[in-house]
Amino acid sequence: MATNLDLFGDHDDGAGAAQGGRILLGPQAMVLRGYALPVAEALLAGVDAVAAQAPFRHMETAGGYTMSVALTNCGQLGWTSDARGYRYTRTDPQSGLPWPDMPEAFLRLARDAAAEAGFPGFEPDACLVNRYEPGSRLSLHQDRNERDYGAPIVSVSLGMPAMFLFGGDQRTDKASRTPLFHGDVAVWGGVDRLRYHGIMPMKDLPHPRLGSRRINFTIRKAG
């Protein structure tokens, strides 16, 4: 039951979605509205701590393009991309050091949100942190680099609103459009685990706390 609300509409003031409620995207996929709002400041502090050890960077895709979204990682494994392809590594290729530990606030939220969405016992080992600015986008893609497809993806949105695309099992399948606001958490797994998804080009709708930025982190079981 996704919506096609215009991000320029007056349904949201940019401060965050109302807490409570869910939007079903599929049989085992949903958005938990405002689920992260009670711990948003702890999550942002965690992002700052991670970025201090492993700074955000624009990686190169396997096709030779520079990603418009800046990213970093935390946890036992981190997602990386370069001309050789996409993969998880235990160390940051820029520093040669292990990726920063996943903040405890991330872990607690991921476990709780996964259980709320019907995936109890989630024990993640990787977290990809993305930073969007106006114009940034994420093309439709599948999360296929993880070894364990039995575990869900937990995706947390902070800052500017974004339009989330959630498609089917083929890239050409029609994708629904669902606005994501500060504090929203999307969870998908099970029969929906390999569905294509992405983010439309970001509009400049500054958030009171983060300005013209959106921070999104996706927590996974990769190893």
Side-chain angles (χ1 to χ4, degrees):
M1 229 176 86
T3 177
N4 289 301
L5 290 174
D6 185 345
L7 284 179
F8 286 108
D10 59 4
H11 58 279
D12 180 74
D13 64 3
Q19 190 177 353
R22 60 183 63 190
I23 296 176
L24 297 180
L25 304 178
Q28 292 183 281
M30 66 185 66
V31 175
L32 303 173
R33 281 288 186 219
Y35 194 81
L37 287 176
V39 293
E41 288 304 316
L43 298 175
L44 288 171
V47 170
D48 289 343
V50 168
Q53 297 180 63
F56 283 98
R57 77 287 307 261
H58 294 272
M59 290 187 176
E60 181 183 351
T61 69
Y65 297 98
T66 300
M67 297 180 66
S68 65
V69 177
L71 60 86
T72 186
N73 291 277
C74 59
Q76 298 172 37
L77 296 168
W79 186 87
T80 61
S81 172
D82 56 28
R84 293 181 294 161
Y86 311 120
R87 61 197 180 280
Y88 282 94
T89 63
R90 293 191 175 275
T91 58
D92 181 346
Q94 281 194 357
S95 67
L97 299 173
W99 293 106
D101 291 338
M102 197 183 307
E104 185 62 31
F106 288 25
L107 286 167
R108 285 197 303 269
L109 177 66
R111 291 166 179 153
D112 291 347
E116 182 74 18
F119 300 98
F122 180 44
E123 291 297 332
D125 58 10
C127 177
L128 171 62
V129 187
N130 294 310
R131 185 183 68 201
Y132 292 80
E133 297 176 352
S136 298
R137 64 189 295 268
L138 195 61
S139 301
L140 283 172
H141 66 284
Q142 294 172 300
D143 289 332
R144 299 188 64 94
N145 299 123
E146 300 77 23
R147 293 183 181 179
D148 185 2
Y149 292 163
I153 302 290
V154 175
S155 177
V156 182
S157 294
L158 299 170
M160 287 202 305
M163 190 66 82
F164 182 54
L165 302 173
F166 199 68
D169 294 329
Q170 305 295 323
R171 188 185 297 274
T172 54
D173 291 343
K174 185 176 181 180
S176 64
R177 299 181 179 186
T178 303
L180 295 178
F181 303 108
H182 181 71
D184 285 349
V185 179
V187 184
W188 63 95
V191 298
D192 294 318
R193 172 62 178 74
L194 292 177
R195 287 175 63 171
Y196 277 85
H197 56 282
I199 293 291
M200 292 184 65
M202 294 287 298
K203 298 183 183 298
D204 191 4
L205 298 172
H207 182 264
R209 173 70 168 79
L210 291 176
S212 294
R213 290 183 298 159
R214 173 182 185 248
I215 299 295
N216 164 252
F217 49 93
T218 53
I219 303 174
R220 310 114 181 270
K221 174 67 175 173

